[in-house]
Amino acid sequence: MDQKYLAEIKARADAATPGPWYAKQIGEYVGFNTPYYGFATRMAELNDFEFACHARTDIPALVAEVERLQNENKHLKEELREWENMTPEEVGEMLSGM
């Protein structure tokens, strides 16, 4: 995930009404309740709708990034454990080979 996309997601989240939000249906209309606006359907909550509409792509992208970082973290921890178990001589050999 590049920094531009992450900044766009953050800007949408910052512009939206603070949560929690709740889905709500009134007759044939579907919307969401927020603690500040009630049933959000007015133009004043356009930022909330922008945030909600982008969630379908933003959330999977964020989940993928979290999974990538968790995997990287796991591998780095494994590598660190290998280094911790090395003797000073082995560390010297590893560093000289880099």
Side-chain angles (χ1 to χ4, degrees):
M1 172 176 296
D2 65 29
Q3 291 301 310
K4 181 179 181 288
Y5 185 36
L6 190 58
E8 290 168 356
I9 293 171
K10 186 176 183 326
R12 284 191 287 274
D14 289 346
T17 302
W21 297 2
Y22 307 95
K24 186 171 185 175
Q25 183 170 357
I26 299 175
E28 61 186 51
Y29 296 99
V30 177
F32 47 86
N33 279 350
T34 70
Y36 299 93
Y37 295 115
F39 192 67
T41 58
R42 298 183 304 274
M43 212 40 195
E45 291 85 43
L46 179 59
N47 288 336
D48 294 345
F49 282 102
E50 287 287 333
F51 177 77
C53 289
H54 282 275
R56 187 65 194 101
T57 52
D58 291 348
I59 298 299
L62 290 170
V63 168
E65 182 68 2
V66 167
E67 290 173 341
R68 185 191 70 77
L69 292 170
Q70 287 175 334
N71 189 44
E72 179 181 26
N73 190 41
K74 177 185 170 192
H75 290 300
L76 289 171
K77 284 181 178 180
E78 290 169 358
E79 189 173 320
L80 178 61
R81 277 192 286 282
E82 289 176 21
W83 280 83
E84 288 174 338
N85 294 325
M86 288 182 181
T87 65
E89 294 78 23
E90 291 172 324
V91 170
E93 289 174 22
M94 287 290 288
L95 292 174
S96 67
M98 294 182 138

